Amino acid sequence: SAVLDERAWDLIVAHDGLAGNLAFRALDLLRVRGIDIPFILVGSSTETRDESRVLQAVDAGADDCVDRDQPVRFVAAVERELRQSEVRRERERVESELRMRARQQETVAELGLLALSGRDLTDLLDRAMDAIRSTLDVELAGLLEALPGGDSFVLRAGVGWRPGLVG
């Protein structure tokens, strides 16, 4: 378990013949922790020909089960799993970015409606700062107003700041 936390892993290869069913325990650990790392189980000819053993490995979360006497198939499995892992990571990144963009658009629309409602400007700015902070998932949000001469600013509205700084 501690080894998984040491660094980001690209691939895990385990031998089916490890003592104490260690390969399957490692698969279970990945599943329990929700870690998406390609896992290839390597076994002897007898182990990989045993369909029930292969099905058990796949059911446990192995991405492939390869005979140790088939190096070409092993290399192909590694290349395929690394490609698929990269595709999954990219898809997750794009989906996360789309969710963030949708949240930002929703916030802009809400603030537009608030501005059109004719509310008090101070209330509008306070709500805008709060919406910006939560949308961007930051601790502080503020609106700086340039004072005459442009050499200094005042924090006109904000959230997350020490009391007395805003205003």
Side-chain angles (χ1 to χ4, degrees), residues 132-151:
I132 289 168
R133 179 179 66 170
S134 67
T135 300
L136 298 178
D137 195 25
V138 294
E139 291 181 31
L140 303 171
L143 173 68
L144 296 174
E145 179 183 343
L147 295 176
D151 293 343

Side-chain angles (χ1 to χ4, degrees), residues 58-154:
V58 171
D59 285 344
D63 295 290
D64 206 337
C65 210
V66 181
D67 187 330
R68 70 174 176 222
D69 296 327
Q70 295 181 344
V72 173
R73 188 173 178 300
F74 173 73
V75 170
V78 167
E79 289 173 345
R80 181 189 65 248
E81 293 307 325
L82 289 175
R83 269 192 317 275
Q84 288 179 351
S85 178
E86 181 60 34
V87 166
R88 284 192 305 274
R89 278 194 299 272
E90 179 62 15
R91 185 181 64 241
E92 288 169 10
R93 186 193 65 75
V94 168
E95 288 173 355
S96 175
E97 188 172 318
L98 285 173
R99 283 190 300 274
M100 177 189 270
R101 297 282 183 217
R103 201 168 57 242
Q104 290 171 348
Q105 290 298 320
E106 183 179 315
T107 300
V108 167
E110 288 173 8
L111 292 175
L113 289 174
L114 277 174
L116 293 172
S117 72
R119 297 196 107 157
D120 172 58
L121 182 60
T122 303
D123 181 45
L124 174 64
L125 291 176
D126 288 342
R127 293 181 83 173
M129 293 301 103
D130 191 47
I132 289 168
R133 179 179 66 170
S134 67
T135 300
L136 298 178
D137 195 25
V138 294
E139 291 181 31
L140 303 171
L143 173 68
L144 296 174
E145 179 183 343
L147 295 176
D151 293 343
S152 55
F153 299 88
V154 64

